[in-house]
Amino acid sequence: MGRDSFLGGLVDRAGKVLKGSANDIGWLQNAPGMLPVEDGTKRFDNLLFNIKNYQEHSLPKSFVYLLVPGLFSNLGPPNFDDTKTYFLKLGLECEVAKIDTQAGVMANASKIKELIEKLYYRSKKRVLILGHSKGGLDSAAALSIYWNQLRDKVAGLVLAQSPYAGNPIASDILSQGLLKHVNLKKEVMEIIMSGILNGDLRAIEDLTYEKRREFLRSYPLPREIPVVSFHTETKINMSILTKFYEVAKVEFSVTAPVGVRSFSKISVPWPLSSGLAMMAALLDLRYSEKSDGLVTRKDAEAPGSVVVRSRRNLDHGWIVLPCLNEDPKEANNCQVIEALFTLLMEVAGRKGFLLPAY
């Protein structure tokens, strides 16, 4: 009987390993009681067209624009640098959140809450937030957990390529293997995160479907918050293949041996665009789901939000990193972020969030 039970459990776990995240992707869209989303793609496209071609810049100076980067963003080129410069040239007050991007969601939520309060009391202006990838989850968590303190200080949130419902890559990496009491994948990730990247494994765990379900049950976004969800997809084509040697340098800090006071950084070239396109192809092959290379479209839509479903071939890193060989006929990432904030302003106006806060 014990042998039969062991073999039965082994077969069951083998089935789960093979199935991976197939039953989890898009779960939030089908969850009971979830608010429907509104398709804002056409309106966004119009705003973006006018920004690029007619320089119609309508964002007011009466807000602070806060940009929150995602996981591992402190290992590579500075995220949002171009966008901050672009916004400052428009006369807008713009800040990039300086947080530990390799920390867990709860830890970063507290930091973002403190940053919002600091910006509000310093400028006497409310804050509009755009969070990219895990930065969107960190930002949403700050609003969900601390809404009573932040209600009069925040006017809206853009979730840009954020795995709001969870992420199949994180879930598959940390999933239980064939042996019931042994999870070698999790142990290896623990070594990588804490020993090599000086991070916290919870930063990865918080992206799994299991943890997102738990978190959203306890801390759903308040329905009154104006939210825009933005997602893209990427695929392999000739233009991606020609960018194979356009690399982003990822810097890893290497801890010195005991007794040595200095430490060094190793710059590792990584073909980012082609790598993300290949990841998207693998996700499509395994799950038949479109993605930007890391986040599936279905998991990037927050309930009740206005959704922008971009039709351009854009990978997960495009919106935050300095662009190479930008197509002059297309809007750049700074203009896309401006259009997202402009759409958020319209959504906030409809909800009455642009009225003076008292």
Side-chain angles (χ1 to χ4, degrees):
M1 185 70 177
R3 179 185 174 187
D4 290 343
S5 175
F6 172 77
L7 290 175
L10 192 63
V11 170
D12 182 59
R13 286 192 292 278
K16 290 180 179 178
V17 169
L18 291 173
K19 191 176 294 184
S21 299
N23 293 337
D24 295 312
I25 296 173
W27 72 271
L28 189 57
Q29 294 182 340
N30 302 314
M34 291 298 105
L35 290 174
V37 298
E38 175 189 337
D39 190 351
T41 307
K42 185 176 180 180
R43 178 56 183 157
F44 168 81
D45 288 342
N46 290 337
L47 292 169
L48 185 59
F49 181 86
N50 291 335
I51 287 169
K52 173 174 171 47
N53 295 287
Y54 300 110
Q55 290 73 53
E56 289 189 5
H57 307 295
S58 59
L59 288 178
K61 298 178 182 179
S62 54
F63 292 89
V64 178
Y65 299 87
L66 176 62
L67 308 171
V68 183
L71 184 64
F72 299 136
S73 59
N74 57 341
L75 296 179
N79 281 201
F80 294 122
D81 260 19
D82 289 355
T83 303
K84 181 176 180 179
T85 301
Y86 174 85
F87 272 50
L88 292 176
K89 287 180 179 178
L90 293 176
L92 303 172
E93 188 170 352
C94 182
E95 294 283 346
V96 179
K98 291 179 174 61
I99 57 174
D100 181 359
T101 63
Q102 289 140 245
V105 166
M106 295 293 281
N108 278 343
S110 176
K111 297 293 184 183
I112 292 169
K113 179 250 187 188
E114 293 172 3
L115 177 57
I116 290 169
E117 291 177 327
K118 178 181 176 181
L119 292 173
Y120 175 78
Y121 290 122
R122 184 187 73 191
S123 66
K124 307 303 180 186
K125 300 175 183 178
R126 281 184 293 170
V127 181
L128 288 164
I129 308 168
L130 183 143
H132 176 250
S133 192
K134 180 179 172 289
L137 304 190
D138 296 338
S139 303
L143 301 185
S144 300
I145 298 169
Y146 304 108
W147 186 235
N148 286 338
Q149 296 100 305
L150 298 179
R151 183 190 304 271
D152 61 338
K153 302 173 183 67
V154 173
L157 170 67
V158 177
L159 298 169
Q161 299 173 305
S162 294
Y164 190 75
N167 181 260
I169 298 173
S171 295
D172 291 352
I173 287 174
L174 297 179
S175 64
Q176 178 69 51
L178 294 179
L179 300 178
K180 186 173 182 181
H181 299 295
V182 179
N183 192 342
L184 291 178
K185 293 186 289 183
K186 185 172 181 178
E187 292 173 7
V188 170
M189 280 304 301
E190 178 101 51
I191 293 170
I192 293 173
M193 284 296 292
S194 60
I196 299 176
L197 301 179
N198 298 319
D200 187 340
L201 184 61
R202 280 173 291 191
I204 304 291
E205 288 180 321
D206 287 344
L207 303 180
T208 64
Y209 291 110
E210 178 184 2
K211 291 297 183 182
R212 288 307 293 164
R213 281 186 170 96
E214 291 177 5
F215 185 88
L216 292 174
R217 276 197 296 267
S218 300
Y219 304 106
L221 266 174
R223 296 189 174 193
E224 63 192 285
I225 299 176
V227 179
V228 169
S229 300
F230 172 78
H231 55 79
T232 67
E233 67 180 78
T234 187
K235 48 189 176 290
I236 295 176
N237 57 25
M238 286 306 297
S239 124
I240 290 291
L241 292 176
T242 58
K243 290 184 178 180
F244 191 84
Y245 294 106
E246 293 178 3
V247 298
K249 287 188 176 179
V250 181
E251 291 188 338
F252 294 95
S253 296
V254 180
T255 304
V258 176
V260 180
R261 293 183 180 179
S262 62
F263 68 91
S264 60
K265 287 188 175 182
I266 301 174
S267 292
V268 181
W270 175 251
L272 192 61
S273 294
S274 53
L276 289 171
M278 290 176 186
M279 285 296 296
L282 290 173
L283 286 171
D284 196 7
L285 182 65
R286 183 172 191 190
Y287 295 119
S288 298
E289 295 291 346
K290 303 302 181 185
S291 74
D292 58 20
L294 292 179
V295 177
T296 68
R297 283 190 179 272
K298 287 183 180 177
D299 292 323
E301 299 187 357
S305 66
V306 173
V307 178
V308 177
R309 302 175 175 120
S310 175
R311 290 177 284 271
R312 288 174 63 184
N313 184 6
L314 301 175
D315 63 52
H316 191 74
W318 177 84
I319 200 169
V320 296
L321 296 175
C323 292
L324 300 173
N325 296 336
E326 193 69 63
D327 184 349
K329 291 182 284 189
E330 295 281 6
N332 62 36
N333 53 358
C334 303
Q335 293 164 333
V336 166
I337 290 174
E338 182 185 359
L340 287 170
F341 271 127
T342 305
L343 179 62
L344 180 63
M345 289 288 297
E346 293 186 357
V347 176
R350 294 198 326 239
K351 289 197 168 191
F353 259 69
L354 302 187
L355 298 174
Y358 297 101

